[in-house]
């Protein structure tokens, strides 16, 4: 023991912890040979607990406050030391300060997908991530089970252990909830509360609780999300078309046009113009006084381009739709989009003709009443 250390040991009589970090859970007060003067001041701040350890045994525990260390407020240590009639000389003891505040910057995530049986999609693989908070609720259990004689115990020493507990309970929480994958986003808070309660119960033996658990995102594999997007697109198309077969054909034709347009070339340019006309018709309905160019005869596709799709094409107000089979044409007539004046074309025809002039199409117009006579 050097002279300077001995002088410091005689002069320092305040035991306290000024935490200048954001990740320290337990800190052992440094004192030469663990000597503490009887009558020294112990300062325990809010969100702290001080634990005295004597020869490996936990003795007295102090909550926030300022204390004068005497045999009266060190009953357990006095018993261990055998101080029956008072004691005034320096004594040896280790003092551990335990932070009891919430540590809120703890992240979690699934390294591997979690399997789940969904009532609509069947077996699916899920990934999830989020954050949670941890707090020490029993300093004595924490010291016994995790800290030991560690001089500085940080969050990173227990973070991985907590994360593994989170992932192990995530699958069971998702399965027991019985919530379809598509509806999980609306139940993140509910699942987080369930996991926080479950983890707190399991970590109680370590003196740790999880007061807050946040699920930021639960995601499906990319290929499953792409299939769901296509299913949604199909639902949007079919919601505004008469007949499921017609809706399916329109959806397939649109997908083929988009793929051809992305391929470039003259065929892509022609198809892209058709898409532009359809979009323009959707923005400016035929009932408005928007200028509409006269429909041009269908141009023959170059030898290098794909053959036209089978079926009938309709031309209304300069916009081209189709192809439609006979069943779809009947639906168009019932919906009022196929009238005697609607222009009709399909492969093999020299040009566009009115629907009333094409027998195969005019048969669908029989159920359509003629215009009312003028009064």
């Amino acid at each position: 023991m050097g002279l300077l250390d001995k002088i410091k040991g005689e002069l320092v009589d305040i035991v306290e912890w000024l935490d200048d970090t954001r990740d320290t859970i337990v800190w052992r007060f440094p004192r030469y040979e663990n000597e503490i003067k009887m009558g020294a001041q112990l300062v325990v701040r809010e969100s702290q607990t001080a634990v005295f350890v004597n020869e490996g045994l936990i003795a007295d525990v102090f909550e926030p406050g300022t204390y004068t260390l005497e045999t009266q407020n060190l009953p357990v240590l006095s018993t261990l030391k055998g101080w029956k009639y008072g004691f005034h000389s320096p004594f040896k003891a280790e003092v551990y300060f335990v932070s009891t505040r919430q540590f809120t910057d703890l992240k979690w995530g699934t390294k591997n997908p979690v399997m789940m049986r969904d009532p609509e999609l069947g077996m699916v693989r899920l990934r999830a991530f989020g954050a949670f908070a941890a707090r020490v609720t029993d300093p004595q259990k924490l010291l016994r089970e995790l800290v030991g004689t560690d001089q500085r115990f940080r969050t990173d020493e227990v973070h991985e252990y907590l994360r593994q507990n989170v992932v192990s309970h995530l699958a069971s929480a998702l399965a027991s909830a019985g919530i379809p994958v598509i509806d999980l986003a609306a139940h993140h808070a509910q699942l987080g509360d369930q996991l926080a309660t479950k983890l707190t119960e399991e970590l109680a033996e370590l003196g740790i609780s999880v007061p807050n658990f946040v699920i930021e995102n639960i995601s499906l594999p990319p290929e499953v999300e792409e299939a769901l997007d296509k299913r949604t697109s199909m639902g949007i198309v079919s919601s505004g078309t008469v007949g499921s077969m017609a809706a399916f054909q329109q959806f397939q034709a649109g997908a083929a046009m988009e793929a051809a347009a992305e391929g470039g070339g003259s065929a892509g340019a022609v198809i892209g113009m058709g898409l532009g006309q359809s979009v323009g018709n959707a923005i400016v309905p035929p009932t408005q006084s928007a200028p509409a160019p006269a429909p041009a005869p269908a141009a023959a596709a170059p030898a290098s381009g794909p053959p036209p799709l089978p079926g009938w094409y309709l031309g209304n107000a300069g916009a081209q739709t189709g192809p439609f089979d006979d069943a779809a044409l009947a639906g168009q007539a019932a919906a009022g989009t196929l009238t005697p004046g609607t222009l009709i074309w399909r492969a093999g025809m020299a040009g566009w003709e009115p629907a009333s002039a094409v027998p195969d199409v005019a048969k669908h117009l029989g159920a359509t009443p003629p215009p009312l006579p003028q009064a």
Side-chain angles (χ1 to χ4, degrees), residues 131-185:
F132 64 97
R135 166 184 282 169
V136 177
T137 55
D138 193 326
Q140 299 184 56
K141 289 183 178 180
L142 181 71
L143 290 174
R144 292 193 187 101
E145 302 295 334
L146 290 180
V147 179
T149 59
D150 195 348
Q151 183 175 359
R152 186 185 293 269
F153 187 76
R154 299 178 181 272
T155 54
D156 55 5
E157 298 182 57
V158 71
H159 187 189
E160 180 61 21
Y161 174 77
L162 296 178
R163 190 198 67 80
Q164 292 174 359
N165 276 271
V166 169
V167 176
S168 66
H169 287 88
L170 180 63
S172 59
L174 292 175
S176 61
I179 303 172
V181 172
I182 299 177
D183 299 329
L184 280 176

Side-chain angles (χ1 to χ4, degrees), residues 191-215:
L191 292 173
D193 292 341
Q194 293 178 3
L195 286 169
T197 301
K198 184 65 178 179
L199 291 168
T200 297
E201 293 175 355
E202 182 166 319
L203 298 173
E205 61 184 13
L206 302 179
I208 300 176
S209 68
V210 179
N212 188 31
F213 190 93
V214 177
I215 299 176

Side-chain angles (χ1 to χ4, degrees), residues 237 247-261 271 275 309 322-323:
V237 171
F248 177 75
Q249 288 182 341
Q250 285 189 354
F251 179 77
Q252 291 293 86
M257 290 180 180
E258 182 179 358
I271 295 174
L275 285 175
L309 294 173

Side-chain angles (χ1 to χ4, degrees), residues 312 326-327 329-330 333 338 355-368:
W312 294 95
D326 285 342
L329 284 179
L338 175 60
S356 59
V358 182
D360 290 340
V361 179
K363 64 183 180 180
H364 298 296
L365 303 175
T368 304

